[in-house]
PDB file of all heavy atoms in Angstrom:
ATOM      1  N   GLY R 698     126.128  95.783 203.475  1.00 97.00           N
ATOM      2  CA  GLY R 698     127.478  95.297 203.721  1.00 97.00           C
ATOM      3  C   GLY R 698     127.594  93.808 203.471  1.00 97.00           C
ATOM      4  O   GLY R 698     128.553  93.336 202.849  1.00 97.00           O
ATOM      5  N   ALA R 699     126.605  93.044 203.951  1.00 97.00           N
ATOM      6  CA  ALA R 699     126.621  91.594 203.719  1.00 97.00           C
ATOM      7  C   ALA R 699     126.496  91.284 202.235  1.00 97.00           C
ATOM      8  O   ALA R 699     127.198  90.408 201.707  1.00 97.00           O
ATOM      9  CB  ALA R 699     125.492  90.939 204.506  1.00 97.00           C
ATOM     10  N   TRP R 700     125.623  91.991 201.553  1.00 97.00           N
ATOM     11  CA  TRP R 700     125.416  91.773 200.117  1.00 97.00           C
ATOM     12  C   TRP R 700     126.704  92.015 199.341  1.00 97.00           C
ATOM     13  O   TRP R 700     127.116  91.193 198.512  1.00 97.00           O
ATOM     14  CB  TRP R 700     124.294  92.694 199.644  1.00 97.00           C
ATOM     15  CG  TRP R 700     123.830  92.463 198.225  1.00 97.00           C
ATOM     16  CD1 TRP R 700     124.215  91.461 197.386  1.00 97.00           C
ATOM     17  CD2 TRP R 700     122.885  93.244 197.510  1.00 97.00           C
ATOM     18  NE1 TRP R 700     123.577  91.578 196.180  1.00 97.00           N
ATOM     19  CE2 TRP R 700     122.744  92.663 196.226  1.00 97.00           C
ATOM     20  CE3 TRP R 700     122.131  94.380 197.827  1.00 97.00           C
ATOM     21  CZ2 TRP R 700     121.898  93.194 195.256  1.00 97.00           C
ATOM     22  CZ3 TRP R 700     121.288  94.906 196.874  1.00 97.00           C
ATOM     23  CH2 TRP R 700     121.171  94.320 195.603  1.00 97.00           C
ATOM     24  N   ALA R 701     127.374  93.129 199.630  1.00 96.00           N
ATOM     25  CA  ALA R 701     128.619  93.439 198.921  1.00 96.00           C
ATOM     26  C   ALA R 701     129.717  92.446 199.262  1.00 96.00           C
ATOM     27  O   ALA R 701     130.570  92.118 198.423  1.00 96.00           O
ATOM     28  CB  ALA R 701     129.076  94.852 199.266  1.00 96.00           C
ATOM     29  N   SER R 702     129.724  91.921 200.492  1.00 96.00           N
ATOM     30  CA  SER R 702     130.808  91.028 200.918  1.00 96.00           C
ATOM     31  C   SER R 702     130.825  89.712 200.150  1.00 96.00           C
ATOM     32  O   SER R 702     131.867  89.061 200.074  1.00 96.00           O
ATOM     33  CB  SER R 702     130.695  90.742 202.424  1.00 96.00           C
ATOM     34  OG  SER R 702     129.622  89.850 202.713  1.00 96.00           O
ATOM     35  N   PHE R 703     129.687  89.311 199.573  1.00 96.00           N
ATOM     36  CA  PHE R 703     129.633  88.054 198.826  1.00 96.00           C
ATOM     37  C   PHE R 703     130.176  88.191 197.402  1.00 96.00           C
ATOM     38  O   PHE R 703     130.178  87.210 196.654  1.00 96.00           O
ATOM     39  CB  PHE R 703     128.208  87.512 198.826  1.00 96.00           C
ATOM     40  CG  PHE R 703     127.791  86.958 200.153  1.00 96.00           C
ATOM     41  CD1 PHE R 703     126.956  87.679 200.993  1.00 96.00           C
ATOM     42  CD2 PHE R 703     128.262  85.729 200.593  1.00 96.00           C
ATOM     43  CE1 PHE R 703     126.582  87.177 202.230  1.00 96.00           C
ATOM     44  CE2 PHE R 703     127.894  85.218 201.832  1.00 96.00           C
ATOM     45  CZ  PHE R 703     127.050  85.948 202.651  1.00 96.00           C
ATOM     46  N   GLY R 704     130.646  89.376 197.043  1.00 95.00           N
ATOM     47  CA  GLY R 704     131.413  89.551 195.826  1.00 95.00           C
ATOM     48  C   GLY R 704     130.626  89.618 194.533  1.00 95.00           C
ATOM     49  O   GLY R 704     129.408  89.829 194.530  1.00 95.00           O
ATOM     50  N   PRO R 705     131.327  89.434 193.412  1.00 95.00           N
ATOM     51  CA  PRO R 705     130.728  89.636 192.086  1.00 95.00           C
ATOM     52  C   PRO R 705     129.488  88.794 191.828  1.00 95.00           C
ATOM     53  O   PRO R 705     128.545  89.258 191.180  1.00 95.00           O
ATOM     54  CB  PRO R 705     131.863  89.261 191.126  1.00 95.00           C
ATOM     55  CG  PRO R 705     133.107  89.476 191.903  1.00 95.00           C
ATOM     56  CD  PRO R 705     132.766  89.118 193.321  1.00 95.00           C
ATOM     57  N   ASP R 706     129.462  87.570 192.313  1.00 94.00           N
ATOM     58  CA  ASP R 706     128.344  86.686 191.994  1.00 94.00           C
ATOM     59  C   ASP R 706     127.047  87.087 192.690  1.00 94.00           C
ATOM     60  O   ASP R 706     125.968  86.625 192.288  1.00 94.00           O
ATOM     61  CB  ASP R 706     128.697  85.244 192.367  1.00 94.00           C
ATOM     62  CG  ASP R 706     129.835  84.694 191.518  1.00 94.00           C
ATOM     63  OD1 ASP R 706     130.025  85.203 190.390  1.00 94.00           O
ATOM     64  OD2 ASP R 706     130.538  83.785 191.980  1.00 94.00           O
ATOM     65  N   ALA R 707     127.126  87.929 193.712  1.00 95.00           N
ATOM     66  CA  ALA R 707     125.921  88.338 194.435  1.00 95.00           C
ATOM     67  C   ALA R 707     125.209  89.512 193.779  1.00 95.00           C
ATOM     68  O   ALA R 707     124.065  89.801 194.118  1.00 95.00           O
ATOM     69  CB  ALA R 707     126.264  88.687 195.881  1.00 95.00           C
ATOM     70  N   GLY R 708     125.894  90.240 192.887  1.00 92.00           N
ATOM     71  CA  GLY R 708     125.225  91.275 192.108  1.00 92.00           C
ATOM     72  C   GLY R 708     125.549  92.701 192.471  1.00 92.00           C
ATOM     73  O   GLY R 708     125.666  93.557 191.587  1.00 92.00           O
ATOM     74  N   LEU R 709     125.693  93.032 193.757  1.00 95.00           N
ATOM     75  CA  LEU R 709     125.937  94.422 194.143  1.00 95.00           C
ATOM     76  C   LEU R 709     127.366  94.850 193.876  1.00 95.00           C
ATOM     77  O   LEU R 709     127.611  95.980 193.415  1.00 95.00           O
ATOM     78  CB  LEU R 709     125.605  94.621 195.629  1.00 95.00           C
ATOM     79  CG  LEU R 709     125.847  96.030 196.192  1.00 95.00           C
ATOM     80  CD1 LEU R 709     125.015  97.061 195.445  1.00 95.00           C
ATOM     81  CD2 LEU R 709     125.555  96.067 197.696  1.00 95.00           C
TER      82      LEU R 709
END
Side-chain angles (χ1 to χ4, degrees):
W700 188 6
S702 74
F703 287 103
D706 294 335
L709 178 60

